Structures are given as structure tokens and as C-alpha cells.
Amino acid sequence: MAERKRKKSRFEFLTKKFPLRMQRKLVMLFMAVILAFVVLIGRITYINVTNGNRYTKAVLDQQNYNSRVIAFKRGDIVDRNGTKIATSERVYNVILDVNMMTDKDEYIEPTKEVLKECFGIEGGVVDTLIEEDPNSQYEILAQGIDYETAQKFNEIDEDDENYPNVMGIWLEEDYTRSYPYGSMASDVIGFTYDGNLGAIGIENAYNDVLNGTDGREYGYFDSESSVERTVKPAKNGNTVVSTIDVTLQNIVEDAILEFNQAHAGEGELGSKNTAVIIMNPNTGEILAEASYPNFDLNDPRNTSQIYSEAAWAEKIQEVSELYEEQVWAEMTDEEKEAAALNALWRNFCVSDAFEPGSTAKPFTVAAGLETGALTGNETYYCSGSKTVMGWQIGCHYREGHGTETIQDAIANSCNVALMDMAAAIGADNFTRYQHIFGFGEYTGIDLPGEASTAGLLYTVENMTEVDLASNSFGQNFNVTMTQMASAFCSLINGGYYYEPHIVKQIQDENGNVIETKDPVLLRKTISAETSNMLKTYLKATMDYGTGQRAQVEGYDIGAKTGTAEKLPRGNGKYLLSYIGYAPQENPEVLIYVVIDEARNDSAGDSGLVLGLAKQIMEEAFPYLGITTIAESGGSVQTEGQNFGDTQYTDYDENYEDTYNNPDGSYVDENYSPDLDDWATGESAE
């Protein structure tokens, strides 16, 4: 049988053995490829280790990079009861991604229409951006968009059926500062500019506390537009809890406004300045601080609510007197306007200095009692004037008070008796105690712009007998309201001088307390015995002295009135003041009222300030729950001669003093509050 022929396989070549020479070539080729891979991997590793960052940056530079800031929320400022007096409200910025909008021609017109419809942005603005920077992915078209407008856009943005070609628009969250109470406590609270920079007041002093830290959202886009985002959240600012009481502040400001409206003339304000401080004498907390004229914190450059055009022009002219003639002449109108605005924004209670008048007399008595120059049993005789170094210096009551005790001298505000006391004290002790009481010193209040008053007082080297005499009753040296209020608190609380402060606590955004401002005792000014004697004298002012017209029924009040003749003497301009406290035994509150140049006040009528003080106390005391006479179990009435409503007469009718430091701003531009004692409770410098 014949052998069947085997069919040849088409894959036979695969099993065919390579010649030895070919096998050697294949092995060499394989080894060469392996070696090339090893060299390549080694080279890549070397490059990555030595120049990896540089090449990474080069690659990233060729990618589309997207990043946006997540704005922090500036912390609130609240009153002592938690009522918001400054807050940040969420708003939105309109952002346009020009590159995305121009990716297709059919995107451009629908997107422009929505920008016009929702935000009022004209198409020409968008055309300009397309022409100037077509690859831009971040252009801010509008800022401060409210929530309702943002919601209207969001509805359109989510409606792909009716608006399929609207591309490149997105909203960025931001915040705007607002002040719910408008002009209330305007120079105390302050305002912000350029986003989150505090200009004055608490906004400035606590700027770093109120500010947080911006967050950021970012990612890298590839050619397929996929992206992996990374978000670093914003850290919001802290809440500042002030010592101010909104209700009390409104009581004060309503009374101030009513007074100035009642005394305003056509195109003229009721006074140059009217200011009030209400303070806790046992802690240094300022419960209310107000001054007039004020301004709207939501629109601080708008002066129309206070000034007419003519009155504002007069204000600018008044400010010009603070500049050298040549300097003012070279200033632009905008610079002159800014100077006048800065004068309006300045806190009169902190930054302005003035001659205090007779409210300084209790300090003269205190210095005498503490140094032993006075015992409290002295009597004096007032004939209506006193001759010092050949000059006749008058009492405000030219007919003379006759024989009087120290209590009578305070109650009736006798210049002659006070000059006799100062002569016994001597210039050395008198000037020393001025500084013990804080005159000529910084109080350390936690507000910016405190006045520098060191150069506004005499020293023992340059104080003459005449200067000592006039200083004894509050003329010829300057103080601030904050200095006077803080020092007077020490007279009535047993001699403890507390650092005045406007902020009591710092909280985080969730309301957790971070820091608390405990009362900071700076020094002891007088003994408890001297304090008790002074309170008896000050009560006499209200019982039968110059403060009777400010008496509030049901309350045991001590006080001192003051009328200071302003420089240049004889110009018919005065600064009227009243400083009082209640109750008599353990004072719970102090009120200091100043009226600077009341309109048409040619006679220095103290009734103006007494009426204003009474109006405030009648509302403030019940609100604060100040102890009444009935609750304390009665009051001891002081006795003395009542001279009635004596007409004020200038003290320097026959005397020309050489003091030349006029009332006004003495703000130290380099002064910033020392807030380091917050956490430690250590005394401020």
C-alpha cells in the first residue's frame, strides 16, 4: 500500500530551527534593547531628582490653571448685650470666563444678553474684553451684587433647556460691611475702606482681630477640560464685643440731637461740638460715648445729613485755620475736602483737648488733702477777685461769695478759694498730682488717635504763681474728655484709676470666648478718706450749688459744673461741662457732658449743659437700674448758702494770660493703642 503524503503546515516555519548565526544576532539585539531601557530609566530618574521641579513647572505652565480666592468674613462688632452694630453681609461678584464664552460663536450673544438682563452689564464691555484678552478666564464685571439678583442668575444658569448657550458666567462670593444703626456711635465704631481696612474707631484699633484669612480654590485643567480641585477654606474674623450699650447710646444721641436741633440757626449747627461719656467708675468700661456732629457709617463721605452746603463750606474754612496759609493754598479741592472729612471723623472724646474749667476744681482739692496742705477744716473769704503778682484775677461771681468752707467753694465754684488752696499746695505738688490724675498722659484707651497732651501742661520749672492760680480752677491747661472721665472715676471710687476701655471681649465666629478684658488697675490716685470727703463736697453741688438744675428726682447725685472761657479770651466763646455720678455712697455710673461753643452762647449759660445732662440722666438711670434714694434707705442733705443762678463773669477781665494752646485736635498720628494686656491682665504702659 502506498504511503500517504503528509500535508505541509503553513506554520511550519515557526518550528523551523534558526541557524546558530541568526540566534546569536537575536540575543545581541535583545540585550541591546534591554540595555537601552536601563539607560533610559536611569536618565529619567536622574532628571527627576536633579531638575524635577523645573520641568514640572514647565509642564504646568502649558496647562490651563484655574484659581479663585474664597473671601473671609470680617468679624462682627456687637454691643455688650450681643446686638450687632457692625457686620459683614454676603454679596457676589460677577466673573466672566472670556475663553469659555468664546469657545463657540453661538455662546457669545446669549451670554451677553444674560449679563445685560441680570446685572445691567452692557454688551460693549464684553466686546472690549474679547478684543483685549480673549484667553482670559477671570474678569470681574460687577461687584456687590445682592442675594436676590444672584438667585435670578442662578435660575437662568440651571435652566439648560431655555439657556443652553450661556457660558462663562459665574458668581464669586464676597462680603460688604454694613452698619445697622447708621450714624450711631460713628466715631467710636469706625468704618472700613479698600475692603477690610479699618479707618477709625474699633474698626481700626481691632483691625487684625476682626480680619480673617482668605481661602483659595484651585485646580489644573487638561485638554479634555477635566479638573481636580483643591479647596483651602477661608478663616473668618473674630467678633469684637464692645462695652457700649446700644439702648443707652441711643438715649444719649437722641438727647444730643434734640439739643442741637433746638439751638441750630439757619445754616448753622447748634454747637461746634457736643459730646457725652457714660462710664462705669469701678471698671473703666465706657457704656456710651457720643459726639455731635456725627456721620453715617454706611456712607461716611456724605455730609448732607448734618451740613448744608454753606455750613460745609464754613467747616472747610474752619479746618484751613489749622494749616499754614501757603500749605493750604497749594492743596487741591479734593485734599481740602479730605482734611474737612478727617476733622468730622475725628473722635472728639479721645482726640480733642480743651481747657476743662471748674470741673478741674475737685482735683485741686484732692491734691491739697493728699499732700496735707489742706485738712478739710479751712475757710476762705471771697471778695470777688484775688490779686496775684499784681494781676487781678476774678471769681465768676464778681459780688463775692464771702466766707466759705472747702465744701462751699466746690458747691459754688469759687475761683478765689481755689487760688488760695493752690498757693498752699505749691507748684511742685500741684504739677505732680496733675500727672498722677493722668493729665498730660495717655490713658491707654483702646481706640486710635488719642491726643498727645504732654505739652499742654505747665511744668514746675515754668509755672508762675499766676499760672498756678489759673490752673487751680481749670484754665490754662488742656485735657481730653477721656482723661477727665477716667480721673474723676478715681475721685469717687476710693482712689482707683482704671484704664478706660471700649471693648470687653473677643469671640470666635461661633461665639466662643477667646479673650476677656478684665478691669486693669493702673494706679492709686488718692486715699479712700479723701475720696469720701470729695463726694460730700460734690453732693453739695447738687444740693445747694451750681448743679441744682440738673437734679433728677429720686436719685442721690454728686457732680461738678464747669464753664471755660476759650482762647482767644474775650471772644464770647465757652466750653460748658457737667460731670456727675450716682448714687452718692457707692457710685455705679459716671456721666460727663460737654457743649463746645453753643450757638449764640455769649454769656456762657451753664443752664444749657445742666438741661442736657438732666435729660440724659432721667432716661439713663432707670434703664441702668441705678440705685435710688428709696432703695438705699435715704440720703444725707448737705447744707450751705445758695447763691441762686449767678451770672458767669470771665475770670481774666483784668488779666491777660500768656497761655497759647487753643482747644482742638492734638491727635498723635503715631499713637496706637497697646492691646498686649488683653490676655495677661497686665497694666498698660
Side-chain angles (χ1 to χ4, degrees):
M1 184 175 179
E3 184 178 331
R4 180 181 295 179
K5 186 176 180 181
R6 186 171 62 89
K7 187 178 180 179
K8 187 174 182 181
S9 173
R10 56 180 177 165
F11 297 108
E12 187 176 351
F13 76 95
L14 293 174
T15 59
K16 185 177 180 179
K17 191 174 182 180
F18 285 106
L20 182 62
R21 182 163 166 266
M22 179 63 72
Q23 291 179 18
R24 288 176 178 173
K25 287 183 178 181
L26 287 173
V27 169
M28 291 177 65
L29 178 62
F30 179 74
M31 294 299 292
V33 171
I34 294 297
L35 180 62
F37 270 108
V38 170
V39 172
L40 181 61
I41 292 171
R43 181 60 180 169
I44 291 173
T45 302
Y46 172 78
I47 291 173
N48 189 55
V49 171
T50 58
N51 294 299
N53 290 337
R54 181 164 62 88
Y55 284 105
T56 298
K57 291 179 180 179
V59 172
L60 293 178
D61 285 342
Q62 298 176 42
Q63 291 185 322
N64 289 326
Y65 176 73
N66 176 271
S67 173
R68 73 179 182 92
V69 171
I70 302 174
F72 67 82
K73 180 184 178 184
R74 185 174 172 92
D76 294 334
I77 301 174
V78 302
D79 86 334
R80 64 188 304 108
N81 301 311
T83 304
K84 290 182 181 181
I85 49 182
T87 189
S88 292
E89 296 178 344
R90 180 171 292 175
V91 293
Y92 301 86
N93 299 331
V94 180
I95 310 300
L96 179 63
D97 185 332
V98 182
N99 187 44
M100 180 181 290
M101 182 188 68
T102 56
D103 186 51
K104 294 182 179 180
D105 290 342
E106 55 264 34
Y107 293 163
I108 297 176
E109 288 305 318
T111 301
K112 288 166 63 176
E113 289 175 8
V114 168
L115 287 171
K116 171 70 174 177
E117 178 185 347
C118 289
F119 310 113
I121 299 170
E122 298 294 339
V125 174
V126 180
D127 292 337
T128 301
L129 290 176
I130 295 173
E131 182 180 345
E132 293 179 350
D133 195 356
N135 295 319
S136 173
Q137 292 181 300
Y138 185 89
E139 293 290 342
I140 301 176
L141 296 184
Q143 294 177 294
I145 300 300
D146 60 32
Y147 177 78
E148 290 184 0
T149 304
Q151 283 298 100
K152 178 181 177 182
F153 167 75
N154 287 334
E155 290 174 4
I156 292 175
D157 192 40
E158 293 170 2
D159 187 356
D160 293 334
E161 182 178 345
N162 295 314
Y163 299 92
N165 293 326
V166 175
M167 295 289 175
I169 307 173
W170 52 283
L171 300 180
E172 177 183 71
E173 290 186 359
D174 200 358
Y175 294 92
T176 185
R177 202 65 166 165
S178 69
Y179 304 90
Y181 290 90
S183 61
M184 189 200 74
S186 54
D187 49 12
V188 174
I189 299 169
F191 58 92
T192 61
Y193 65 99
D194 289 346
N196 289 301
L197 293 176
I200 60 173
I202 294 173
E203 292 277 30
N204 176 274
Y206 288 88
N207 190 67
D208 292 341
V209 173
L210 291 162
N211 273 347
T213 305
D214 283 334
R216 185 171 288 276
E217 181 181 23
Y218 54 92
Y220 293 100
F221 290 80
D222 59 21
S223 59
E224 301 298 324
S225 296
S226 61
V227 63
E228 182 178 347
R229 294 189 179 275
T230 301
V231 177
K232 180 182 178 183
K235 182 182 182 301
N236 293 332
N238 295 317
T239 295
V240 170
V241 182
S242 73
T243 59
I244 295 295
D245 184 307
V246 162
T247 301
L248 188 63
Q249 185 77 23
N250 280 321
I251 288 173
V252 169
E253 295 203 12
D254 287 347
I256 289 176
L257 181 60
E258 183 180 329
F259 169 83
N260 278 277
Q261 288 177 338
H263 292 85
E266 187 175 347
E268 295 181 272
L269 303 182
S271 67
K272 181 179 179 182
N273 296 290
T274 305
V276 176
I277 291 178
I278 297 181
M279 199 168 181
N280 184 334
N282 304 304
T283 63
E285 289 185 348
I286 295 173
L287 307 180
E289 179 173 301
S291 62
Y292 176 93
N294 52 13
F295 55 93
D296 185 355
L297 290 170
N298 293 302
D299 190 8
R301 294 182 176 274
N302 182 5
T303 62
S304 61
Q305 65 175 0
I306 295 293
Y307 295 94
S308 64
E309 288 187 15
W312 182 241
E314 186 177 328
K315 177 67 175 179
I316 294 176
Q317 182 58 37
E318 177 187 309
V319 172
S320 71
E321 297 172 4
L322 303 175
Y323 293 80
E324 294 182 5
E325 187 175 342
Q326 182 62 30
V327 172
W328 184 259
E330 294 175 355
M331 291 171 66
T332 64
D333 290 342
E334 290 76 13
E335 289 171 333
K336 293 176 180 178
E337 179 88 6
L341 284 170
N342 284 324
L344 173 64
W345 297 336
R346 191 174 68 239
N347 188 338
F348 178 85
C349 298
V350 173
S351 301
D352 278 37
F354 51 84
E355 294 173 85
S358 295
T359 51
K361 288 174 180 175
F363 297 100
T364 300
V365 173
L369 293 172
E370 284 295 298
T371 59
L374 304 177
T375 65
N377 298 317
E378 290 81 4
T379 59
Y380 303 91
Y381 183 80
C382 172
S383 63
S385 65
K386 179 179 175 63
T387 301
V388 182
M389 295 180 66
W391 292 104
Q392 188 179 49
I393 303 177
C395 183
H396 78 89
Y397 184 50
R398 282 292 192 266
E399 295 180 20
H401 293 105
T403 301
E404 54 190 350
T405 63
I406 294 179
Q407 176 179 293
D408 296 331
I410 292 295
N412 296 316
S413 202
C414 177
N415 290 356
V416 172
L418 268 294
M419 287 188 278
D420 287 342
M421 294 180 206
I425 295 168
D428 194 350
N429 280 328
F430 185 90
T431 54
R432 181 166 64 91
Y433 265 86
Q434 280 186 315
H435 287 279
I436 288 174
F437 290 127
F439 305 139
E441 311 285 342
Y442 291 116
T443 65
I445 189 171
D446 49 342
L447 287 174
E450 183 167 11
S452 175
T453 59
L456 305 180
L457 275 66
Y458 287 101
T459 64
V460 66
E461 290 79 18
N462 64 15
M463 177 177 272
T464 67
E465 291 181 31
V466 177
D467 303 323
L468 176 60
S470 58
N471 272 217
S472 72
F473 53 84
Q475 296 274 182
N476 286 17
F477 73 96
N478 280 19
V479 300
T480 68
M481 284 191 72
T482 305
Q483 286 176 341
M484 280 294 290
S486 303
F488 207 92
C489 283
S490 77
L491 293 186
I492 62 174
N493 69 9
Y496 300 98
Y497 188 105
Y498 288 100
E499 181 180 67
H501 58 280
I502 203 78
V503 168
K504 63 180 297 185
Q505 208 173 70
I506 303 295
Q507 300 175 352
D508 66 18
E509 61 177 310
N510 298 315
N512 301 311
V513 177
I514 299 173
E515 294 174 308
T516 297
K517 178 76 167 181
D518 295 320
V520 178
L521 178 62
L522 296 181
R523 57 186 171 271
K524 193 83 159 61
T525 58
I526 58 175
S527 66
E529 292 76 16
T530 297
S531 177
N532 287 332
M533 293 175 71
L534 283 167
K535 285 193 293 182
T536 300
Y537 304 156
L538 294 166
K539 188 176 187 306
T541 299
M542 299 298 290
D543 286 345
Y544 65 88
T546 57
Q548 293 176 81
R549 282 184 287 172
Q551 187 63 259
V552 178
E553 185 177 353
Y555 293 93
D556 206 7
I557 304 172
K560 186 69 192 79
T561 60
T563 303
E565 183 188 3
K566 299 186 66 172
L567 289 172
R569 312 298 186 203
N571 65 1
K573 295 181 179 179
Y574 301 89
L575 184 137
L576 310 174
S577 58
Y578 172 93
I579 190 163
Y581 61 91
Q584 172 68 9
E585 285 305 312
N586 296 295
E588 299 165 9
V589 65
L590 174 135
I591 177 171
Y592 186 24
V593 182
V594 167
I595 300 175
D596 181 19
E597 293 186 28
R599 194 179 71 87
N600 293 334
D601 178 30
S602 59
D605 181 8
S606 62
L608 297 176
V609 73
L610 293 175
L612 178 57
K614 180 177 182 178
Q615 180 181 349
I616 294 171
M617 291 189 292
E618 283 178 333
E619 288 193 66
F621 287 1
Y623 169 73
L624 292 171
I626 302 303
T627 302
T628 63
I629 294 175
E631 291 169 336
S632 64
S635 172
V636 177
Q637 193 81 1
T638 58
E639 296 182 356
Q641 183 177 355
N642 183 349
F643 286 86
D645 294 332
T646 58
Q647 185 174 358
Y648 179 85
T649 307
D650 294 343
Y651 79 92
D652 64 345
E653 186 174 306
N654 298 304
Y655 160 61
E656 296 179 5
D657 62 60
T658 57
Y659 189 69
N660 59 1
N661 292 314
D663 296 3
S665 172
Y666 286 92
V667 60
D668 183 353
E669 299 291 350
N670 298 317
Y671 172 82
S672 60
D674 181 8
L675 307 180
D676 293 340
D677 61 325
W678 261 95
T680 63
E682 296 175 357
S683 298
E685 291 293 330

